Amino acid sequence: MQVVAPVPSRSWRHALTGLLLVSPPFLLMLFLIVAPTVQAILYSTGQVPTDNIVFQSDIDLVSSATPTLVVYQRLLSSPYVQADLAMTFQVTIASVVLVLVVGYILALYVRFSTGLLPSIVRVLYLIPMFIPVVIASYGLIEFFVANGFLQTILAQFGIQNMPSPIYTPWGIVLGQVWTGIPFAVLLLGSGLDGVPQELIEAAQDVGASFGRILWRIVTPQVVTPLLIVGTFTFIGVLGSYTVPYLIGPNAPQMLGVAMTAYNGSYQRPQPAVAMAVLTFLIATVAGAIYVWGTSRTERTAA
Amino acid sequence: MSRLSRRRLLTRSASGLFGVGAVALLAACGAGASSAVPATTSSSQAAASTAPSSSAASTSTASAARSTAAATSAAAGGKVQLHFYSSGDVNIQQLWNNDLLPIWNKQHPNAPIQLIFSEHGATDQAVIDKLAGAKAAGKPTDIDLFEGGNNLRTYGEKGIFVKLTTADVPDLSKTPPDVVAEIGSYGVPYRASSVVLAYNSAFVKDPPTTLDGVYAWVKANKGKFTYNPPDTGGSGGDFVQATLEKFIPKADLKTFETSYDPSLEKEWDPGFALLKSLGPYVLNGGFYPKGNVPVLQELGKQTVYVAPVWSDMGLSYLAQKLLPDTVKLEQITPPFSGGAAYLGVPTGSQHQDWSFKFLQWVLQPDQQTVIIDKINGYPGLEWKYMPGTVRQKFAALAKSYDTFSFSSKFSSDVNKLWYEKVAGTPSPAKQ
């Protein structure tokens, strides 16, 4: 095989092919993410495009020649929005912690147990993945709601008036954990599969307890999957809509629900867009942690 | 059939129109069109909506001219073909296509009516643009009948729809005058529905008959009442509206209905305070199901015994056995609000005589009874003109309804303030 083609032309062609190949996702990012983000930031700081009738229709429209933070100030000083924000954070953090704890326990159980039961669990934890969120939400409502299935069963045993989590923030957490578990267990499970059995056996040989093996040998090996599950769950729950809309209380609302209400029912797209920008910023922080975490492990692996 | 969601749909389609209008304007400028004659030469109080509709009108002129040719050729023989543009849910489409129009077409072989149906009114604005275009160009149109709501009045005032009198449609006199006035006589109300109070007679022996009676009942029967948040459906929305309206001075009602002035919103405070005081007595200590249907489902599960519902939805649910037989519907005093669906005639229609005949025909008790039976609606006629059997069946409902409704911006504020002041924090104080 002879290489006769002039090198510069070839690399030029390579570069062009590379650019062409990378351009569809890049353009998609540009038009679907970057451009709307810029537009949203401009709009929420008072730069209202005159040709956008939907943006113009805001009842409390703030329009100014120079960028202003009035929309954000109004939004963040409202006690109702503060309550929305507080609940959003509480639900998000509770969901992340619970998904991590429950997911990790399930993954450990499936990894380190043998027999029939773990194989059944292995099938069961995947089920939520195949049930659409809307249907799962209605299922949870019918099961846990006041006078629902659970309370009807309990009433047979004389247990009555047990408070129901449905239509409270805990109901949202319940829904988020349900939907988050399959992904968490799958990812943590594959992380655990990567832990060499020899390491564990060696530790057992020198008499290390299960807790010690878990803490000193197994967990350090799955920090990255834990980080990925944590950040993905955080971002997913933060911007979620279906579960909090269906299972959550009328008020306060999670940001996703509040955003939709401001945009539609309240005829106030500007604060809705401002909330979207805030959500985006918070999610960016989580995204940065994820990128930092994964690149760090890649470096140590290399 | 929620009026609020319909209104939201209208708002959205209106904003969509603005977008379309803007594009049309650009296109018109690009082509250097000189024929941008505004469709609204007469009294135009809504300057904002004038510009887009006139620009859209200029672009649809061509299609109007085309359709005119078709219409004239059709009129050549003794037989004419009428085109009826209607919109709504599938039940309305079935009502016309399967029940009413076959009867008309059989009785009037010389003037058969073809239905052009737009689900949820998705193309209503396009139809109106076409009419506006034809009018701007001074051409007739092939649209002979149009089913609509507020748009009949809005565009009627711009000369696109005929202002109807009893000379055109004699039985217009038998329809409720305030319902006709609501639309400025630009349409004939042919069916209606309203929000009513549903109660389960198995548990409620002495149902409240007044709005104040409802509040008293709610406080005396903890957890057995609920309504949906105002933005999720008209049944709860009208309960909220009736409560707010109760405290608004009569002189300000017109402003609340037609314009927007946030400084007047302090007049809602007593109404919101009253609603909030009901909170602890509402289902589960303050749970408001999200939608007309979820409220009906609570009634069906018998977790609540009293709730406001849409008359037509309640009757349909009863007919389908989705509600226990013991659930009864009644209109209270003062009544909850409701709305009618109207039929209008475009000024450019070439078969207006036939259109008027059709409107008169629809208002006859035979056709009105079909409407009641098929979609559980109210008649367009006043109840007293309906056959005795129908009146008996609807005895508890056969009253007039309130035609008041907040303007679009006011009702957006009702939504926001309801979430903040009624459902929102701090949670309702126990009383």
Side-chain angles (χ1 to χ4, degrees):
Chain A
M1 203 172 137
Q2 267 184 314
V3 184
V4 280
V7 178
S9 138
R10 184 153 203 176
S11 71
W12 178 82
R13 230 186 250 181
H14 266 238
L16 189 71
T17 323
L19 274 177
L20 277 176
L21 283 174
V22 91
S23 61
F26 177 74
L27 287 174
L28 207 68
M29 281 265 294
L30 197 68
F31 285 111
L32 290 185
I33 298 174
V34 179
T37 308
V38 172
Q39 200 182 22
I41 292 171
L42 287 177
Y43 176 46
S44 65
T45 52
Q47 314 295 297
V48 186
T50 46
D51 57 348
N52 190 324
I53 304 296
V54 177
F55 278 4
Q56 296 272 355
S57 71
D58 191 294
I59 293 180
D60 297 329
L61 187 71
V62 173
S63 190
S64 107
T66 50
T68 164
L69 291 176
V70 176
V71 178
Y72 291 91
Q73 279 160 2
R74 274 192 205 161
L75 204 59
L76 296 176
S77 63
S78 154
Y80 308 107
V81 177
Q82 284 169 5
D84 290 352
L85 270 171
M87 193 187 80
T88 306
F89 278 115
Q90 284 157 8
V91 166
T92 307
I93 288 165
S95 303
V96 169
V97 169
L98 276 171
V99 165
L100 283 175
V101 169
V102 178
Y104 196 37
I105 290 173
L106 274 174
L108 284 171
Y109 176 72
V110 172
R111 165 74 175 79
F112 291 109
S113 307
T114 45
L116 184 65
L117 198 58
S119 2
I120 296 174
V121 171
R122 206 167 304 194
V123 176
L124 282 181
Y125 76 67
L126 282 179
I127 286 179
M129 201 173 232
F130 300 101
I131 300 178
V133 177
V134 177
I135 293 168
S137 299
Y138 276 112
L140 288 171
I141 292 172
E142 289 304 317
F143 188 80
F144 286 106
V145 75
N147 305 319
F149 191 77
L150 182 65
Q151 292 197 358
T152 313
I153 301 270
L154 288 178
Q156 305 298 316
F157 299 100
I159 306 166
Q160 275 176 352
N161 296 326
M162 208 191 65
S164 157
I166 300 302
Y167 307 132
T168 73
W170 285 108
I172 311 179
V173 175
L174 191 72
Q176 302 289 11
V177 171
W178 158 275
T179 48
I181 285 298
F183 173 71
V185 183
L186 273 182
L187 213 71
L188 294 173
S190 72
L192 286 174
D193 286 342
V195 178
Q197 188 66 24
E198 301 80 41
L199 274 182
I200 295 161
E201 278 166 9
Q204 277 170 338
D205 287 346
V206 295
S209 65
F210 177 74
R212 203 173 164 81
I213 294 173
L214 185 66
W215 184 245
R216 297 296 295 275
I217 295 173
V218 178
T219 308
Q221 306 254 357
V222 290
V223 167
T224 307
L226 282 170
L227 200 68
I228 296 175
V229 170
T231 46
F232 276 31
T233 310
F234 182 89
I235 294 172
V237 176
L238 184 74
S240 61
Y241 176 78
T242 314
V243 170
Y245 179 79
L246 292 175
I247 311 185
N250 293 114
Q253 300 169 324
M254 280 187 69
L255 274 184
V257 180
M259 235 182 272
T260 316
Y262 269 84
N263 193 34
S265 324
Y266 304 170
Q267 270 193 62
R268 286 168 169 82
Q270 203 173 24
V273 168
M275 282 188 216
V277 172
L278 286 178
T279 313
F280 193 79
L281 285 177
I282 301 166
T284 310
V285 174
I289 294 175
Y290 163 76
V291 171
W292 168 78
T294 47
S295 64
R296 192 188 60 116
T297 41
E298 266 166 27
R299 265 201 309 279
T300 45
Chain B
M1 281 297 294
S2 123
R3 189 162 53 79
L4 276 187
S5 69
R6 225 184 286 149
R7 180 188 300 154
R8 208 184 304 154
L9 197 75
L10 275 175
T11 331
R12 283 194 192 148
S13 43
S15 46
L17 155 76
F18 279 119
V20 171
V23 172
L25 193 66
L26 280 178
C29 293
S34 56
S35 66
V37 184
T40 53
T41 43
S42 61
S43 66
S44 57
Q45 63 273 74
S49 67
T50 309
S53 67
S54 60
S55 61
S58 66
T59 54
S60 47
T61 310
S63 70
R66 237 192 349 265
S67 56
T68 309
T72 29
S73 66
K79 187 175 169 180
V80 295
Q81 173 76 49
L82 299 180
H83 297 101
F84 172 22
Y85 283 68
S86 172
S87 60
D89 246 315
V90 186
N91 60 337
I92 305 302
Q93 187 173 18
Q94 287 172 347
L95 171 74
W96 287 120
N97 263 343
N98 304 348
D99 302 314
L100 288 175
L101 291 181
I103 306 176
W104 164 272
N105 290 344
K106 206 169 171 186
Q107 292 173 356
H108 305 87
N110 279 336
I113 293 180
Q114 189 195 346
L115 183 76
I116 295 100
F117 194 80
S118 156
E119 250 174 60
H120 306 291
T123 60
D124 274 3
Q125 197 56 50
V127 174
I128 285 179
D129 287 347
K130 184 175 163 181
L131 287 170
K135 174 151 180 70
K139 306 267 184 186
T141 168
D142 67 336
I143 300 168
D144 303 301
L145 289 155
F146 182 79
E147 172 165 4
N150 284 331
N151 46 6
L152 279 171
R153 180 184 193 142
T154 311
Y155 293 95
E157 283 166 356
K158 292 175 182 171
I160 291 174
F161 295 106
V162 177
K163 197 172 176 79
L164 299 163
T165 64
T166 47
D168 306 323
V169 185
D171 282 359
L172 189 63
S173 61
K174 295 183 181 175
T175 58
D178 56 337
V179 178
V180 180
E182 180 79 12
I183 200 84
S185 299
Y186 290 104
V188 167
Y190 81 96
R191 64 178 167 93
S193 63
S194 76
V195 173
V196 293
L197 194 71
Y199 65 94
N200 193 328
S201 59
F203 304 98
V204 187
K205 297 294 171 209
D206 191 15
T209 53
T210 63
L211 197 52
D212 289 331
V214 174
Y215 306 136
W217 189 92
V218 172
K219 291 195 175 176
N221 298 272
K222 197 169 190 303
K224 295 302 173 193
F225 170 84
T226 197
Y227 60 95
N228 57 284
D231 64 327
T232 61
S235 59
D238 280 350
F239 177 73
V240 171
Q241 180 184 293
T243 306
L244 300 182
E245 193 185 344
K246 196 172 130 71
F247 296 100
I248 298 175
K250 289 269 175 293
D252 291 341
L253 280 175
K254 191 78 192 160
T255 315
F256 276 107
E257 196 161 13
T258 53
S259 62
Y260 181 64
D261 177 6
S263 69
L264 284 178
E265 287 175 6
K266 59 180 182 299
E267 290 172 7
W268 290 342
D269 288 348
F272 278 129
L274 175 54
L275 288 171
K276 185 161 194 163
S277 75
L278 295 180
Y281 303 95
V282 164
L283 174 66
N284 291 340
F287 178 67
Y288 308 91
K290 289 165 188 159
N292 297 321
V293 167
V295 169
L296 284 163
Q297 288 169 340
E298 295 293 343
L299 275 169
K301 286 191 279 185
Q302 310 201 0
T303 48
V304 299
Y305 303 151
V306 171
V309 302
W310 277 104
S311 60
D312 53 347
M313 293 178 87
L315 290 169
S316 301
Y317 264 59
L318 280 168
Q320 295 168 49
K321 307 272 177 223
L322 293 169
L323 287 176
D325 286 345
T326 48
V327 169
K328 309 284 177 205
L329 308 180
E330 58 158 17
Q331 186 55 285
I332 57 164
T333 323
F336 289 121
S337 59
Y342 300 86
L343 296 174
V345 178
T347 43
S349 160
Q350 292 171 292
H351 314 299
Q352 284 188 359
D353 287 353
W354 278 111
S355 300
F356 295 146
K357 264 184 206 155
F358 179 72
L359 297 187
Q360 173 71 8
W361 178 83
V362 170
L363 286 180
Q364 297 315 300
D366 282 354
Q367 278 68 253
Q368 292 283 302
T369 306
V370 170
I371 293 170
I372 290 173
D373 288 346
K374 291 294 173 184
I375 60 168
N376 292 302
Y378 293 170
L381 293 176
E382 285 192 80
W383 286 101
K384 62 181 172 190
Y385 297 110
M386 294 304 292
T389 48
V390 174
R391 268 185 292 159
Q392 228 162 14
K393 187 180 157 196
F394 285 83
L397 301 175
K399 298 173 188 170
S400 59
Y401 49 84
D402 187 10
T403 53
F404 175 83
S405 68
F406 287 119
S407 72
S408 158
K409 283 186 177 178
F410 269 128
S411 63
S412 295
D413 284 2
V414 169
N415 293 338
K416 182 167 184 280
L417 292 172
W418 183 87
Y419 275 99
E420 294 181 352
K421 296 193 171 186
V422 181
T425 50
S427 47
K430 295 271 187 292
Q431 288 191 343

